[in-house]
């Protein structure tokens, strides 16, 4: 369980480093996006037959980081819609 949290935090941090621009995300949001990204990446890697979702493998890790980067973009888009912009 602790390893899963640490992996999620690492994946979320890597995704924030890869995504250009400034993200207004706290540590908990980074952790949450990393955890969701790692689940998505693990499921896709399992579908390709590289191992179980809970195993650490290279393809699952890369896919998890890519999924987390995409999730950051979605989170930024949703946060941008909630704010009102004035000219």
């Amino acid at each position: 369980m602790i390893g899963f949290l640490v992996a999620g935090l690492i994946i979320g941090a890597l995704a924030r480093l890869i995504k250009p621009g400034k993200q207004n995300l706290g540590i908990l949001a980074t952790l949450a996006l990393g955890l969701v990204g790692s689940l998505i990446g693990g499921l896709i890697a399992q579908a390709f037959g590289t191992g179980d979702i809970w195993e650490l493998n290279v393809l699952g890790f890369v896919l998890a980081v890519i999924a987390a980067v995409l999730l950051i973009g979605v989170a930024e888009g949703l946060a941008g819609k909630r704010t009102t912009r004035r000219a």
Side-chain angles (χ1 to χ4, degrees):
M1 181 73 165
I2 293 173
F4 186 61
L5 292 174
V6 170
L9 190 58
I10 291 170
I11 289 168
L14 283 173
R16 286 186 65 183
L17 287 172
I18 292 170
K19 179 88 169 91
K22 183 181 184 303
Q23 299 92 26
N24 293 325
L25 301 172
I27 189 87
L28 290 178
T30 301
L31 174 64
L33 290 172
L35 290 174
V36 173
S38 67
L39 285 174
I40 293 170
L43 285 171
I44 295 171
Q46 183 179 9
F48 284 133
T50 61
D52 191 21
I53 184 174
W54 304 111
E55 289 179 4
L56 180 63
N57 58 47
V58 175
L59 181 62
F61 186 79
V62 170
L63 290 172
V65 172
I66 292 170
V69 168
L70 294 174
L71 287 171
I72 288 173
V74 170
E76 286 177 338
L78 292 175
K81 288 182 181 179
R82 280 189 252 160
T83 61
T84 58
R85 296 185 179 163
R86 298 180 187 180

